[in-house]
Amino acid sequence: PRGGLTLNQWVNIWLATKQASEQMKPQTAQQHKIRYKQWIAPKLGSRPVKRLTAEEIQEVINAGAQQGHAIPVNIFKTMNAALNSAVKAGKVDLNPMKQLTPPRQRSAAGEKDTAHMQSHAWVTLNRVNNQGLWEAGFVVPRKCGGPWFYGSM
């Protein structure tokens, strides 16, 4: 193809090779495929692997960050694994991911995923009225994005 091997072509080769040689579990390959199709391929799939830049990969990671707390980490993992493999196979000289700082997974605090917050929360009991009714709530500690109180007082 004009411009050389595209990212779409390389990812297909990479995943097929890893699975055929049993170097990757089927579940891991499926996760990479899903991430790739949903987040990476629409923006970078037609780009020649040799022409990928750290800047354009960072744009995809940043776009993923707008969609959820784990997405940037997962995009980074998939791209880094695919491009490390491309270096080993001699398809590219350098992995542009080496120029990027791996994103940290943000806490789910402040998002709709309250299960994460509950696992790190303190349960509180609060007297609601003069009739002795109590209601439970939970407080999210600062290390998990708090302090916040959930429930009513």
Side-chain angles (χ1 to χ4, degrees), residues 131-142:
Q131 295 160 4
L133 297 176
W134 292 84
E135 187 168 297
F138 60 95
V139 177
V140 178
R142 188 171 305 281

Side-chain angles (χ1 to χ4, degrees), residues 26-95:
Q27 306 92 306
T28 303
Q30 186 62 29
Q31 289 172 346
H32 283 305
K33 283 179 190 176
I34 291 168
R35 292 175 194 159
Y36 182 77
K37 283 183 177 182
Q38 185 170 1
W39 301 107
I40 303 165
K43 300 274 188 188
L44 302 176
S46 62
R47 296 274 295 132
V49 177
K50 286 188 175 192
R51 293 191 186 159
L52 286 173
T53 66
E55 292 79 16
E56 63 190 342
I57 296 168
Q58 185 65 59
E59 287 176 15
V60 172
I61 292 169
N62 292 347
Q66 303 301 314
Q67 304 301 316
H69 65 279
I71 294 169
V73 174
N74 291 331
I75 291 170
F76 189 93
K77 286 178 185 177
T78 295
M79 284 297 293
N80 197 43
L83 293 175
N84 276 338
S85 188
V87 170
K88 287 179 186 172
K91 303 300 180 186
V92 294
D93 295 326
L94 297 171
N95 178 351

Side-chain angles (χ1 to χ4, degrees), residues 113-145:
D113 179 8
T114 58
H116 170 78
M117 292 182 283
Q118 290 171 356
S119 69
H120 295 288
W122 299 299
V123 174
T124 63
L125 290 175
N126 301 288
R127 179 163 267 170
V128 179
N129 61 29
N130 292 339
Q131 295 160 4
L133 297 176
W134 292 84
E135 187 168 297
F138 60 95
V139 177
V140 178
R142 188 171 305 281
K143 72 177 183 176
C144 296

